[in-house]
Each structure stands twice: as structure tokens, then as C-alpha cells.
Amino acid sequence: MFNQSRLQTVLAQYKKDFLEKHWEEEKYKWEAVKTFQDNWDTQAKNFSDMLGRSLAKAGNLLTSMNNFPAGMIIGFAKAAPEEVRSMYMDLFDESKDVYERIGNFKKQADGLLEKYGNGAKQHYQYENAITTYLWLRYPDKYYIYKYSEGKTVSDELESSYSFKKGAYKENLRSFFGLYNGMCAELKQDMELVNLFKSQITESCYPDPELKTLTVDIGFYISQNYAKCGDHTPSIWKISHGAISEQNRSLFESRKVVVVHGQTAPKGTSGESQGQQFTDEIRKGDYFYLCNGNSINLLGRFTSDTAVPNPEQSNGWVERSYEKIADSRDTSAYKGVQKWWTPNDNSTCIRVGTKEEILFEKLILKPYFDMSLNDLYGNNNEDQGYWWLNANPKIWSFSDLQIGGVQNYTLYNENGHKRRIFQNFMDARTGDFVIGYESNPVKQIVALAKVSASNDGQKIYFEKTESLANPIDYQELKACPELQKMEFFQNPNGSFFKLTKEEYDFIMDIIRDENPLPPEVQNSPYTKKNFLSEVYMNEEKYDRLAGVLCNKMNVILQGAPGVGKTFAAKRLAYLLMGEKDDSRIEFVQFHQNYTYEDFLMGYKPVGDSFELKHGVFYRFCKKAENQPDKKYFFIIDEINRGNLSKIFGELLMLIEKDYRGKKATLAYNGMPFSVPENLYIIGMMNTADRSLAMIDYALRRRFSFFEIDPGFGSEGFRAYQKSLENETFDELISKIVELNEEIIRDKSLGKGFCIGHSYFCGRTKENCTKEWMQSVVDYDILPMLSEYWFDDDSKVQRWENILHGVFQ
């Protein structure tokens, strides 16, 4: 399941580093397990105190910058000890499915946050923290899960396990499978096992199954080997050096990139060096030059670009470190640090050699980054990704058609720069945009792109896709992978930066709910295909197609068995010119079908209610994305529902003259329209006496088209001839006679005729006498008994006639 030789290469380097420095830095993991095992007591009287002691050594694993799972769960335990006790008892109950236990722990944490969060926005109890608890409790069975680590290890070992952002359960299965395979290999490496056992002390858990050792090697691969291993030669290295645990997550977030200049290989051109340097610093929002080589290279770049040369510019400011950090003991860091500051003072680059200096004040780099763009150009990997927040009180994505454009002035009505002004300046034509609406429902509703970047006055955004299933804010906010999003950190403003990783993660969620139609070669569909399948004559087809194209809404009515549903789907194929089921939606109305099912409404989700979009709403949004193609919404048994309640305000919007026009929806106050490329086809049985007539308000918005039995059509006659069955021919002739009598009956009429579909779909081989007799006995005769319930003699006569066919 993975490349074992790759793992052996990693282990060889791991064993070299193990005694030199790695064990002393990482042995706290085994100490954390031992501490937990020594202190854990589910029945402890003071549960929060016991929990705090159990997790005392796990701080590095359960606390990092802007992420505080241990602190939050201990706080919850103080406020609600019995609830948290119950959560852990359930989590540690090995008789239950582990993935369900993890999911339940997260859900229960949601409730605790609401009750006892005191305004906190996150509880941080996600897969990484929860699997840490499981590992601490059952260290011979579980591993610490981390998405980024699992994906990196999988890539490095060329494994067959896949990791997809947002697919938590599948990712956990892949992670456990991968690490179980690694663990099995470690047990075979006796040199490694003996080396490890030689360092275990009484303060450490002995790790007999080597699960924690597997966790540590996974960490080693992702944090050391993958980033700095000799197998990845580069003149620019990410060098964390002796970074404190508190600051490590700052670098791991990739918002900060440390650029450590190495001596370039002989023959490496200045342009090549510059491109590599540029690629490195583009990996984060900030960068830090950490030695003389990189500082000197910076000086050369400033002379090659429009950036002022720092040696000849007033942009250099020299300050002593003591003046920068008045509140700290800085005696160990005395000396002069250099700052380079562009004229507008909005961005600058920090040059220094102490990691603590970087942590003291982070400096944005977009001005310098743009200069490198001018020098070295752009590439696909440098594509921009953005989050655009629309306030529907001002403008709405829903008001834009596909291809519609919205512009922003770079200065507001007061002449001041917009919030996050630099983002508007940095955006480039073609950048990808996530379209979000903040009111009244917080959701991602569309995708867009930057259609024209700023010209000093305006920037333009073009809508590229409507989302049939919008993505709720809370769903995104609950994802630990998105915790550092610029919009989540400070939502004030309209236009926010996304990293590629954040954008890809959000797009995975969007595509899970809004998959793109498959790229398939659809079979063409012609009038000849239609007439050979539907058993309708050509003249009648021409009238039907004309009615639908003119009105855009049609109801096919007729007796049971005339093939209304079959005809509706083939009619859609013909008007599309191809058999494309992705552009057809099918529903069936019934007495309990509601507006909430059809368009939108609040549905129970857990202990609360959420606004959910119905099938027609989603299909309209889907049709919006391909305005040049026809879409068909087919409703079976349309007269069985309470149509006025189901359609609501759509009664106006489905009219041809109102297609594309906006109306405000009752539930969310948002504008909505039925697209001009969407056709509605309904079906109803005229023989169903129990149904009331369709009310006039809806009736005048549809054309009604009668579908008759097709026994006399060219298509049916060709089908009948292909069977070469005399009994079948005689049966059909009797059914035609029966229909003539039904039509003459004033209490019935042609709407009660026997349809041809009862006799379709057979071949010479299976058109048997037994099949034909079963159709007569179980379909036709019961129907006649209903038609002539007060005339037994007539029913008996037709029973004798039809049975006589088989004598």
C-alpha cells in the first residue's frame, strides 16, 4: 500500500538523527502518554482537576497558536463536569464504532460551546484533538490524526491512500490504514526497535506496539524529511532552526516563510536564482530573510526592479532591538536591525537573524512581491484566490446572471480607501473568487472571477457559476483547516485573500454538494428516434413541440398507460438534441408535497432547524449555469398536490413573460427567478376521478396537451410487426375495439381509454401467451371493473372477449 523502500530511506535518516537531537525534543510524547495513563480516572470526584492532570504533559500536542483544544475542554469540564465526563466515557467505549464516537464528541462540543463558551467562537474539538485523546487512552491502538501530516506522509511514501479535504471519515480510515502499515514495517526493523528501547525511561510509556513511535516518524517525515531532506535539493531552504513551540505553528501555517539563502551551484544564472527566491517567498503572506546570503540577494533584486535601492534610499531605518520591544529583556539580542520601508509605509520587509524578532512584528510583503512579478512574470501556481462578501442590501450575486459583472470603486463614497484596500490592488484578471452573501443567510452562493483588475478607479468581478446547494457559514467555520482564513480573523470589509490550500478546501466542499456534470459524449436524439419510441404521429409531435416552446410549461394529460412520462423524457431529449439526463429533473407530487420540499423551507437538523433549498430551487440554479442549453423539470401526477401552496410566488415567475424576472422569496427575502432556458412538463391522468380540477391560477400558466393511445401510430405498428405474433395482433385489435366502446360511453370518454404502454417492451422471445394473459387479468380487467362498477354484464362480456383471444 506504500513504497517500502521510501520508508526505509526515511528510517535510515531518522536513526541518524534520533540520538543526536530528535529524541530529546520529542520524548515528551511518550511522557504525555505515561502521565495520562497514571492520572486518568473516569469516576474521579473532581473530573476537571483529573482531566487537567491527565493532559498536563500533552500541551505541545493540544495547544498551538490560535488553537486551544486542551484549554477549552478543561474549561468545559469545570462548567459542566458530568457532561464532559459522559463525552469521554462515550469516546472511550470501544464497543462502538470509532468514527461515530469521534463525530459524537464534536457534536457534543458544539452544545458545550453554545452553553458555556462565554463568547468563544471555537471549541477546537476536532479530529486532531479527539484522536489525541484516543491515543492517550489507548496508546497501543490509535494514532494522532492530522490531515496535513497524513497527506504529506502518503505523498512521501508514494502510498495508495488518498486524502480529500473535508472528507473526514474517509481521511481517518486512510490515515489509520497508512499508519498501521508503517507500524508493521517498524516492528521488523530491529535496529530501530533496539535503539528506541535503549532510550525509554521510567517517565515514558514503553510503547510495546510502537504506535507512538509510528506517530513520531510520521511527524518526522512531514516536519523534517519532507521539507529539508537531502532528497529535495534547492538553493533555498525552509529553516525553522531553534524555534520555540509557541512560534512553530506560525511557520507551519505557511503565512510565514523563512528564506535561508545558500550558496548557489556553479552555473546557476541570476535569473534562475531569482525565480527560485520568488517561488519561496510566494508561499506565505510574510517572509523572513535569515542570513547574509539572502540579504545580499535582496539588495541585488532591488537594483533589478522598480524597488528603490535601500543603500541609496531614505527607506532604510536603523533601530536598536531594545527600542522595538520595550517590554522584554533583550540583553541577549543587542545590536542594530535593518528595516526596508516603501514610500507609502504600508508594507515592508524585515531583515534579521533572530526568530524572536520576526515574532515580535510581522511585516507584509506584497509591494516587494509585485516587483518580483514585474521581473520574473506570473505563472499558474501564482494564481490569485479571493473571498468576495456581497451585502444583498446593496447588491446580490443572485441578481447577476452568469456572465454578469459587478464592479467596486477602490474608494468609498467618502473618498477613503476601502477596507483591505491592498487586496483590491493585488487582484489580477482571471483570479478565482468565492462568492459569499452575508445577509440574511450567511452562505457561499456563487463562484466568480476577476474580469478586469484595478485601473486605479474600479475592479470588476464576473459571475461564473450559481450554486444549486449553497454552503453555510457554520459548516465552513467548523473546519479547523479554515481557522486562519483572513475573513474569519476579521470579517470587516468586502474582499479577502485566500491561500490556495484554503481555496482548494472550500472548493472540495462546494463540489461535494454541487458536482460538475460529467464530461460524457451524449448520444444524439432526433425526431426519427422520438417517433420510433413514443408512438405518436409526426403531425401531433409537431404540435406538441410547438406548444412547449411557445408556453414553456405544458401538462400532458391522458388515460393511464398512454406513455405520458415516457413521452415527456423523450420530448426533452429531442428539444436538447441529445440524451443528457443531467439536464432533466423528475419529481412526483402527492398530497403531502409542500413548498418547503419544492422551493425552500426550514427543516429539522439535530436539535434545531436550518433553511434548506428544495429540488426546484436547486435545479433553477443549475440551469442558470448553462444559459445556452435547455433544461427540463418534469412533474408526474401534478394534479395530486396542493398546487397553489406548492408553487407559492412561483405562479408568476414560471410564466414565459416573467422568466428571468426577480421576485423576493418569502423565506429568506432573497431575489429569485426562473431561468429562461428551463421548461416545465407536467403529467396527469384524466381517468383519476378522485382529484379536483387544477385551479385556474395555475391552469392559465400551462398549456394542456392530450396524449392518446398510440396503437395506430407508425411506430407501434412497426413494433407490432417485429413481434410476428398472431395472438398479440388479435389482442391489440380487441383492445382497439374496447377503446372505441369506452369513447362512446358518455360516463367515460377518451380520457379513460386503455393505453398502449401496457403492451410495449417485448421481443419475439418473451412476447408469450402467459404474459399477454397476465396483462389482461391483472391490468385491463380490474380497470374495467372500476369503469363499469354498476354494469357487471358489460365487464363480463369484455372478460369473455379478451379471454377468447387465448383459446
Side-chain angles (χ1 to χ4, degrees):
M1 303 297 281
F2 59 85
N3 188 329
Q4 294 180 355
S5 64
R6 297 276 292 181
L7 178 60
Q8 293 305 317
T9 303
V10 171
L11 294 180
Q13 187 63 43
Y14 178 83
K15 285 182 278 191
K16 289 180 181 179
D17 293 341
F18 186 81
L19 294 180
E20 182 178 340
K21 57 180 179 179
H22 186 80
W23 173 251
E24 286 303 315
E25 293 177 356
E26 303 301 331
K27 70 176 181 180
Y28 72 86
K29 296 170 185 172
W30 289 265
E31 294 174 337
V33 176
K34 180 69 162 54
T35 300
F36 188 92
Q37 296 288 317
D38 289 345
N39 288 277
W40 182 255
D41 178 8
T42 307
Q43 303 304 321
K45 291 184 178 179
N46 189 333
F47 185 82
S48 63
D49 179 68
M50 181 278 298
L51 180 61
R53 285 185 281 105
S54 298
L55 299 179
K57 289 283 189 176
N60 286 342
L61 299 166
L62 291 170
T63 303
S64 61
M65 188 174 186
N66 297 323
N67 198 328
F68 312 101
M72 290 299 290
I73 198 66
I74 292 171
F76 290 151
K78 292 177 180 177
E82 294 310 314
E83 290 184 50
V84 178
R85 187 197 305 270
S86 176
M87 286 171 61
Y88 276 102
M89 290 175 67
D90 183 67
L91 179 65
F92 294 156
D93 184 352
E94 289 292 283
S95 67
K96 299 178 182 178
D97 178 75
V98 66
Y99 306 108
E100 291 184 6
R101 285 184 273 151
I102 292 171
N104 290 337
F105 199 95
K106 287 197 296 183
K107 290 179 182 177
Q108 291 168 313
D110 290 337
L112 292 174
L113 181 66
E114 185 175 345
K115 292 179 184 177
Y116 310 109
N118 295 322
K121 296 182 178 180
Q122 284 295 323
H123 52 64
Y124 307 106
Q125 309 305 308
Y126 302 112
E127 280 74 7
N128 175 243
I130 299 171
T131 54
T132 301
Y133 305 145
L134 282 168
W135 162 74
L136 290 168
R137 180 68 180 88
Y138 300 112
D140 295 336
K141 183 173 183 178
Y142 293 107
Y143 310 96
I144 301 174
Y145 167 79
K146 190 173 184 180
Y147 170 83
S148 57
E149 183 174 298
K151 189 174 188 309
T152 300
V153 172
S154 180
D155 291 343
E156 284 295 318
L157 299 186
E158 299 174 353
S159 91
S160 60
Y161 292 101
S162 61
F163 292 82
K164 182 180 179 182
K165 292 179 179 177
Y168 298 118
K169 186 177 290 187
E170 292 77 8
N171 289 341
L172 281 166
R173 288 195 178 100
S174 293
F175 187 90
F176 291 152
L178 173 60
Y179 275 50
N180 278 333
M182 289 169 54
C183 187
E185 289 297 311
L186 302 189
K187 291 179 179 179
Q188 303 302 314
D189 190 333
M190 296 312 299
E191 179 186 3
L192 174 63
V193 172
N194 292 332
L195 181 64
F196 165 68
K197 288 183 175 179
S198 70
Q199 299 303 307
I200 289 290
T201 64
E202 291 183 357
S203 66
C204 300
Y205 181 71
D207 199 12
E209 295 298 320
L210 303 185
K211 300 291 185 179
T212 305
L213 183 63
T214 305
V215 169
D216 187 59
I217 288 174
F219 171 80
Y220 177 82
I221 292 173
S222 65
Q223 296 301 317
N224 299 92
Y225 190 79
K227 291 183 178 179
C228 301
D230 293 336
H231 66 297
T232 312
S234 171
I235 65 170
W236 304 107
K237 300 293 181 81
I238 305 298
S239 177
H240 289 170
I243 299 174
S244 65
E245 191 64 36
Q246 179 186 20
N247 296 348
R248 183 181 296 276
S249 64
L250 184 68
F251 291 88
E252 292 174 358
S253 72
R254 298 199 66 182
K255 292 181 76 68
V256 176
V257 173
V258 180
V259 182
H260 183 178
Q262 306 265 322
T263 303
K266 290 185 178 180
T268 304
S269 68
E271 182 175 350
S272 176
Q273 292 182 48
Q275 185 61 64
Q276 291 186 53
F277 183 86
T278 302
D279 290 343
E280 280 297 337
I281 68 170
R282 281 176 177 156
K283 292 178 180 177
D285 292 338
Y286 316 93
F287 74 95
Y288 172 63
L289 300 170
C290 64
N291 72 2
N293 288 339
S294 50
I295 294 171
N296 291 337
L297 185 57
L298 170 62
R300 183 172 67 78
F301 284 154
T302 58
S303 66
D304 290 342
T305 67
V307 180
N309 187 326
E311 298 297 339
Q312 303 170 1
S313 165
N314 293 329
W316 281 101
V317 179
E318 295 188 352
R319 299 178 181 175
S320 68
Y321 187 73
E322 292 92 329
K323 292 179 181 178
I324 298 173
D326 296 332
S327 62
R328 294 177 54 180
D329 178 8
T330 58
S331 58
Y333 306 112
K334 289 183 178 179
V336 174
Q337 302 300 321
K338 292 185 177 181
W339 296 65
W340 175 81
T341 311
N343 293 334
D344 65 1
N345 291 317
S346 62
T347 61
C348 56
I349 300 166
R350 184 64 174 275
V351 180
T353 59
K354 296 295 183 182
E355 174 260 330
E356 285 79 6
I357 299 174
L358 172 69
F359 188 66
E360 181 70 24
K361 185 176 179 69
L362 296 173
I363 309 300
L364 291 170
K365 65 165 179 65
Y367 187 90
F368 184 71
D369 192 34
M370 285 190 291
S371 298
L372 291 173
N373 281 340
D374 295 337
L375 183 60
Y376 296 108
N378 200 354
N379 54 50
N380 290 335
E381 293 183 357
D382 197 37
Q383 184 73 54
Y385 306 93
W386 306 94
W387 174 287
L388 181 58
N389 183 12
N391 185 341
K393 292 181 179 179
I394 302 172
W395 74 277
S396 170
F397 278 107
S398 300
D399 283 334
L400 289 180
Q401 301 293 332
I402 300 300
V405 174
Q406 173 68 31
N407 69 75
Y408 272 75
T409 57
L410 300 188
Y411 295 84
N412 61 27
E413 61 276 7
N414 298 320
H416 300 302
K417 290 181 180 180
R418 288 191 178 277
R419 291 191 181 99
I420 320 184
F421 174 80
Q422 190 62 52
N423 287 351
F424 286 93
M425 296 295 295
D426 290 347
R428 297 182 298 277
T429 302
D431 283 358
F432 298 109
V433 178
I434 299 290
Y436 176 81
E437 291 193 343
S438 57
N439 185 43
V441 181
K442 298 179 178 181
Q443 292 178 325
I444 297 174
V445 299
L447 300 178
K449 66 179 181 180
V450 179
S451 61
S453 53
N454 73 82
D455 58 3
Q457 299 297 322
K458 291 182 179 180
I459 185 171
Y460 297 84
F461 304 99
E462 177 185 339
K463 181 178 175 180
T464 59
E465 182 179 342
S466 295
L467 298 188
N469 295 289
I471 308 301
D472 289 336
Y473 171 88
Q474 290 300 334
E475 179 179 354
L476 299 171
K477 197 69 172 70
C479 297
E481 294 88 345
L482 300 178
Q483 294 307 301
K484 297 178 182 178
M485 262 177 58
E486 188 175 71
F487 174 72
F488 288 159
Q489 296 298 312
N490 183 2
N492 293 324
S494 302
F495 195 48
F496 301 87
K497 219 174 258 182
L498 291 171
T499 66
K500 186 177 189 305
E501 290 77 12
E502 290 166 347
Y503 176 83
D504 288 343
F505 183 88
I506 294 171
M507 285 303 301
D508 282 343
I509 295 175
I510 288 173
R511 288 299 170 224
D512 282 344
E513 298 293 330
N514 302 269
L516 292 172
E519 294 184 6
V520 296
Q521 187 65 41
N522 295 312
S523 302
Y525 198 84
T526 65
K527 182 190 286 191
K528 183 178 180 180
N529 298 130
F530 180 88
L531 296 176
S532 67
E533 291 185 327
V534 176
Y535 304 153
M536 181 185 294
N537 64 50
E538 185 172 358
E539 181 183 357
K540 190 154 189 174
Y541 157 73
D542 289 337
R543 293 201 303 271
L544 173 58
V547 166
L548 180 57
C549 291
N550 177 60
K551 191 83 168 184
M552 301 196 75
N553 310 313
V554 68
I555 289 177
L556 306 181
Q557 59 182 5
V562 295
K564 297 182 292 296
T565 303
F566 188 85
K569 193 169 186 179
R570 268 66 191 172
L571 178 60
Y573 286 161
L574 183 52
L575 294 181
M576 289 189 291
E578 59 181 350
K579 298 177 75 169
D580 186 355
D581 289 323
S582 70
R583 289 189 273 146
I584 299 174
E585 188 69 52
F586 184 94
V587 299
Q588 186 176 62
F589 281 179
H590 50 78
Q591 289 89 338
N592 294 324
Y593 204 86
T594 65
Y595 176 92
E596 288 76 12
D597 300 314
F598 194 60
L599 196 66
M600 67 171 57
Y602 285 94
K603 297 294 183 69
V605 177
D607 296 331
S608 61
F609 288 82
E610 291 183 7
L611 185 63
K612 297 292 184 181
H613 296 102
V615 60
F616 188 72
Y617 180 97
R618 297 194 300 270
F619 194 68
C620 286
K621 293 301 179 181
K622 187 176 179 181
E624 280 182 11
N625 293 323
Q626 293 184 296
D628 57 331
K629 293 190 175 183
K630 294 181 173 69
Y631 279 70
F632 295 84
F633 194 86
I634 300 175
I635 307 171
D636 194 20
E637 306 282 7
I638 190 170
N639 55 333
R640 284 187 173 273
N642 187 328
L643 300 180
S644 295
K645 288 185 177 181
I646 291 173
F647 278 87
E649 61 266 55
L650 296 181
L651 284 177
M652 178 183 72
L653 298 181
I654 63 173
E655 287 192 54
K656 182 178 181 180
D657 292 343
Y658 285 93
R659 291 299 180 90
K661 302 289 194 303
K662 303 287 183 181
T664 301
L665 295 178
Y667 268 97
N668 64 0
M670 295 289 290
F672 177 77
S673 66
V674 178
E676 298 175 8
N677 60 326
L678 189 146
Y679 298 80
I680 301 175
I681 304 175
M683 287 88 70
M684 60 182 286
N685 286 329
T686 50
D688 196 336
R689 305 180 209 246
S690 65
L691 300 177
M693 294 293 290
I694 292 179
D695 65 53
Y696 178 74
L698 191 66
R699 177 173 285 275
R700 70 183 181 85
R701 290 169 169 88
F702 282 85
S703 290
F704 288 75
F705 194 90
E706 191 80 28
I707 302 290
D708 300 320
F711 295 113
S713 68
E714 291 184 13
F716 189 86
R717 287 200 298 268
Y719 161 69
Q720 183 177 342
K721 185 178 180 180
S722 71
L723 297 179
E724 299 178 357
N725 190 307
E726 292 181 0
T727 304
F728 185 82
D729 294 342
E730 186 178 356
L731 177 60
I732 295 303
S733 69
K734 297 302 181 185
I735 294 296
V736 171
E737 291 177 17
L738 172 60
N739 279 342
E740 290 173 354
E741 183 165 343
I742 290 173
I743 292 172
R744 291 193 301 269
D745 191 320
K746 293 182 180 180
S747 66
L748 298 175
K750 67 178 182 178
F752 291 80
C753 287
I754 307 301
H756 57 267
S757 65
Y758 292 108
F759 306 96
C760 292
R762 312 307 287 187
T763 64
K764 283 196 294 185
E765 291 73 26
N766 62 20
C767 184
T768 63
K769 190 177 292 187
E770 291 77 15
W771 166 72
M772 287 183 275
Q773 189 158 355
S774 70
V775 172
V776 169
D777 288 341
Y778 303 115
D779 292 310
I780 308 304
L781 291 177
M783 200 179 309
L784 297 182
S785 296
E786 287 188 24
Y787 289 176
W788 292 312
F789 65 92
D790 57 350
D791 193 341
D792 292 338
S793 62
K794 188 177 289 188
V795 175
Q796 185 63 57
R797 179 169 66 85
W798 274 105
E799 181 178 342
N800 295 336
I801 291 172
L802 296 176
H803 279 169
V805 171
F806 308 111
Q807 299 302 316

